[in-house]
């Protein structure tokens, strides 16, 4: 902050006893000059302070506007069946509860298809995108069917997706361990479900909670290019 220094003693005019430039006594002239000098200093300081405050306010305002423009837009989301979407880059999840439901396999396929539409996998613009969506629906069908045949039916279906991987999870109360039939024989009826899952997916597995009945069979597929 700039200030105006009072005049030095050599600038004050005549010593006491001599007349001032205006003809008034020297003491009065000296007092008048000092008062004027102090008033000028106060005015300059106030102007400088106001300018600094205004500049700081402008800088803060510009900084806030820049931060608002540079920040990524908040993106909310909604998902049926208890799922939620936090952002474009976050993993989006949808869940379907089978409690009291009948026709669970077509119900699961419809639910998965709705999720694919919501996440941009459908409608498919290319053959690769169409094949990726069909693979998801087929894996959902096989996992839910497997739970119906070997685990007294599924409890719930959870589908989650980020920009690269879609994950399918089917929970049930069964104690068995699903596995592809070995050796696999294409002409033999039945036993193809987990073989199909193994062939179509990036990876799959089984998760069990210690002390709790049942399991969750999961499978992951790559997102279409």
């Amino acid at each position: 902050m700039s200030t105006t220094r009072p005049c030095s003693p050599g600038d004050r005019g005549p010593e006491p006893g001599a007349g001032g430039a205006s003809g008034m006594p020297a003491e009065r002239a000296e007092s008048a000059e000092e008062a004027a000098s102090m008033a000028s200093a106060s005015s300059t300081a106030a102007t400088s302070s106001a300018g600094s405050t205004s500049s700081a306010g402008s800088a803060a305002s510009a900084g806030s506007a820049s931060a608002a423009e540079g920040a990524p837009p908040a993106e909310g989301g909604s998902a049926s069946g208890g799922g939620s979407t936090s952002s474009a880059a976050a993993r989006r999840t949808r869940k379907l509860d089978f409690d009291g439901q009948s026709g669970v396999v077509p119900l699961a396929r419809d639910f998965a298809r709705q999720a694919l539409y919501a996440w941009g996998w459908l409608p498919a613009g290319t053959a690769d995108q169409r094949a990726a969506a069909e693979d998801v629906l087929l894996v959902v069908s096989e996992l839910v069917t497997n739970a119906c045949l070997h685990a007294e039916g599924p409890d719930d279906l959870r589908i989650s997706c980020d920009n690269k991987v879609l994950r399918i999870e089917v929970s049930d109360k069964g104690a068995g361990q699903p596995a592809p039939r070995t050796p696999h024989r294409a002409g033999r009826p039945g036993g193809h479900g987990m073989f199909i899952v193994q062939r179509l997916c990036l990876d799959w597995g089984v998760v069990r909670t210690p002390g709790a009945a049942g399991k969750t069979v999961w499978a992951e597929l790559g997102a279409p290019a």
Side-chain angles (χ1 to χ4, degrees):
M1 179 174 66
S2 60
T3 58
T4 304
R5 179 174 61 84
C7 297
S8 63
D11 297 331
R12 291 179 181 175
E15 294 294 327
S22 61
M24 67 177 64
E27 292 180 356
R28 292 179 59 190
E30 180 179 351
S31 299
E33 289 180 2
E34 289 180 349
S37 177
M38 293 177 65
S40 176
S42 300
S43 175
T44 303
T47 301
S48 176
S49 176
S52 299
T53 302
S54 176
S55 299
S58 299
S61 176
S64 299
S66 176
E69 292 175 356
E75 180 178 337
S78 61
S80 63
S84 61
T85 305
S86 58
S87 70
R91 178 169 288 274
R92 296 157 290 184
T93 301
R94 293 191 173 204
K95 180 181 178 182
L96 173 64
D97 192 342
F98 292 110
D99 186 27
Q101 301 286 355
S102 60
V104 294
V105 175
L107 181 65
R109 286 179 61 90
D110 288 343
F111 176 79
R113 185 179 293 106
Q114 292 174 11
L116 294 180
Y117 271 103
W119 296 338
W121 288 50
L122 289 173
T126 66
D128 288 342
Q129 293 174 343
R130 188 177 303 105
E134 290 175 353
D135 287 349
V136 170
L137 298 178
L138 180 54
V139 171
V140 167
S141 297
E142 294 299 337
L143 292 182
V144 173
T145 299
N146 198 64
C148 291
L149 294 176
H150 306 290
E152 301 180 2
D155 290 336
D156 58 65
L157 164 66
R158 187 184 299 268
I159 304 177
S160 58
C161 180
D162 57 21
N163 292 332
K164 297 181 179 180
V165 175
L166 184 142
R167 183 181 177 96
I168 302 166
E169 301 177 26
V170 176
S171 298
D172 60 57
K173 294 182 173 62
Q177 183 73 14
R181 177 177 292 175
T182 304
H184 178 259
R185 298 176 182 174
R188 183 178 179 181
H192 307 300
M194 297 310 299
F195 177 79
I196 292 173
V197 171
Q198 185 179 59
R199 290 292 300 272
L200 294 180
C201 296
L202 300 172
D203 199 5
W204 72 277
V206 179
V207 176
R208 297 183 186 276
T209 302
K215 63 184 180 297
T216 297
V217 182
W218 61 268
E220 293 182 340
L221 299 91

